[in-house]
């Protein structure tokens, strides 16, 4: 059997009992290490799980799936994922590959940012389509995600914005010279994402009607599920100057607030911090 097991968000003990039992009895256990991070390091996880973990970076998961799935039709093989297994499309892809190889599969779910974001007081069924905000470069500054935010906002819906994570990204020299070298890991901050959004808005170079302004209410969320999680609410212009601390960060662009949401959210306003 090939298992994908979610390990939750903020603590080594967040794995479910069923998930832990499977991990401790599996032949091989991989830890996916590029779509998210945990506060604990690999050694701490190994100590609690009582199993040696094989690090699975982007290259292994996306290009070396056959290595992970090797003999999974004979033994139990596990891929551990921070959050929930379906928080990234990559994990659906490897499940499909396993099924194409006639390998039985099973998914063990857990909490992810997609549902844990409700801790800020915004009701989950008031959220529209989730978007990702990527790092800009000197020559690549995409803004297409604003169209989806506007569509949600026009319908009164909130938008969860997942901020870019770059772990073991190859350097330009690595690509051109076929020499494995990687850039330092980078994690986008709330203030950086808000700055990019403001630049898009100020440029007026986006398609369609814009509902997002400098005064739009936003919620910055950092390290959700960790012991030191932080939530701050303010206008888009205000959030540019807010330091949310270490990763991981997310933003919510707020739609129409229900009175209960508004009451809950007030505790996180910048003036109350």
């Amino acid at each position: 059997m090939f298992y994908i097991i979610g390990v939750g968000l903020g603590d080594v003990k967040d794995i479910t009992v069923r998930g832990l039992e499977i991990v401790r009895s599996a032949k091989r256990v991989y830890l996916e290490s590029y779509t998210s991070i945990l506060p604990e390091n690999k050694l701490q996880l190994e100590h609690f799980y009582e199993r040696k973990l094989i690090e699975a970076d982007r290259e292994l998961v996306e290009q070396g799936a056959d290595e992970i799935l090797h003999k999974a039709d004979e033994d139990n093989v596990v891929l551990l994922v921070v959050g929930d297994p379906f928080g990234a499309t990559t994990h659906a892809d490897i499940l499909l590959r396993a099924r194409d190889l006639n390998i039985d599969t099973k998914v063990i779910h857990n909490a992810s940012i997609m549902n844990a974001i409700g801790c800020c007081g915004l009701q989950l069924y008031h959220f529209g389509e989730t978007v990702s905000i990527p790092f800009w470069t000197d020559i690549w500054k995409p803004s297409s995600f604003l169209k989806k935010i506007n569509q949600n906002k026009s319908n009164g819906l909130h938008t969860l914005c997942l901020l870019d994570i770059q772990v073991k990204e190859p350097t330009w020299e690595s690509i051109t010279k076929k020499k494995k070298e990687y850039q330092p890991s980078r994690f986008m901050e709330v203030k950086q994402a808000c700055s990019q959004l403001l630049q898009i808005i100020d440029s007026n170079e986006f398609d369609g009607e814009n509902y997002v302004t400098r005064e739009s209410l936003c919620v910055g969320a950092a390290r959700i599920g960790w012991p030191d999680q932080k939530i701050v609410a303010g206008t888009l212009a205000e959030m540019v100057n807010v330091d949310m601390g270490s990763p991981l960060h997310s933003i919510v662009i707020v739609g129409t607030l229900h009175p209960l949401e508004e009451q809950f959210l007030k505790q996180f306003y910048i003036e109350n911090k």
Side-chain angles (χ1 to χ4, degrees):
M1 180 81 74
F2 173 63
Y3 294 90
I4 298 188
I5 299 176
V7 300
L9 292 172
D11 191 282
V12 65
K13 296 178 182 178
D14 283 351
I15 190 171
T16 64
V17 174
R18 184 158 62 115
L20 183 59
E21 289 173 347
I22 294 167
V23 166
R24 288 178 173 171
S25 64
K27 184 76 171 181
R28 300 193 314 278
V29 182
Y30 294 86
L31 174 64
E32 190 263 84
S33 61
Y34 73 91
T35 60
S36 190
I37 57 173
L38 284 170
E40 288 89 0
N41 60 37
K42 181 166 165 279
L43 288 177
Q44 290 171 301
L45 294 174
E46 288 178 333
H47 178 73
F48 181 73
Y49 296 158
E50 300 177 355
R51 287 302 314 278
K52 191 75 175 174
L53 304 180
I54 305 166
E55 185 174 348
D57 58 16
R58 180 189 296 272
E59 185 176 348
L60 179 58
V61 175
E62 294 185 351
Q63 301 175 29
D66 290 344
E67 179 181 334
I68 295 175
L69 296 172
H70 180 62
K71 290 191 174 181
D73 55 339
E74 301 175 11
D75 302 308
N76 286 340
V77 176
V78 171
L79 177 63
L80 297 176
V81 174
V82 178
D84 185 80
F86 288 116
T89 54
T90 298
H91 308 136
D93 181 69
I94 196 171
L95 279 172
L96 290 173
R97 293 190 190 198
R99 289 167 185 172
D100 287 342
L101 295 170
N102 295 318
I103 297 170
D104 290 334
T105 63
K106 187 168 288 187
V107 173
I108 310 297
H109 294 285
N110 212 312
S112 77
I113 188 61
M114 304 291 280
N115 53 33
I117 194 62
C119 67
C120 70
L122 299 177
Q123 297 166 5
L124 294 179
Y125 53 83
H126 285 167
F127 278 77
E129 183 176 355
T130 298
V131 305
S132 296
I133 300 181
F135 280 113
W136 279 357
T137 69
D138 292 337
I139 59 174
W140 187 67
K141 296 183 178 182
S143 60
S144 57
F145 52 84
L146 181 59
K147 184 175 182 179
K148 294 180 180 179
I149 296 173
N150 274 316
Q151 185 173 352
N152 288 338
K153 202 164 176 61
S154 69
N155 291 320
L157 301 174
H158 315 310
T159 306
L160 173 61
C161 304
L162 304 178
L163 308 189
D164 202 0
I165 298 172
Q166 294 187 352
V167 178
K168 290 193 75 175
E169 291 288 327
T171 62
W172 177 250
E173 292 77 10
S174 174
I175 296 171
T176 56
K177 298 178 182 179
K178 297 183 179 179
K179 180 182 178 182
K180 286 193 175 183
E181 293 178 341
Y182 300 100
Q183 302 175 31
S185 296
R186 294 198 299 163
F187 305 90
M188 183 179 285
E189 298 183 37
V190 164
K191 57 185 178 182
Q192 184 175 6
C194 290
S195 175
Q196 289 185 185
L197 272 167
L198 284 177
Q199 290 179 61
I200 297 169
I201 294 167
D202 292 342
S203 72
N204 290 316
E205 295 178 356
F206 48 84
D207 296 327
E209 189 172 358
N210 183 44
Y211 294 86
V212 183
T213 70
R214 302 178 67 86
E215 300 306 311
S216 292
L217 182 60
C218 304
V219 180
R223 301 173 301 284
I224 297 302
W226 295 27
D228 64 340
Q229 77 173 27
K230 183 175 182 178
I231 301 170
V232 178
T235 66
L236 183 59
E238 289 174 330
M239 294 302 293
V240 171
N241 300 310
V242 175
D243 184 2
M244 299 292 292
S246 56
L248 294 169
H249 292 190
S250 302
I251 304 173
V252 179
I253 309 298
V254 177
T256 302
L257 285 171
H258 181 279
L260 188 61
E261 292 178 307
E262 187 170 12
Q263 182 181 354
F264 198 106
L265 201 57
K266 281 182 180 178
Q267 64 185 299
F268 302 121
Y269 285 174
I270 288 174
E271 59 264 30
N272 294 330
K273 290 294 179 183

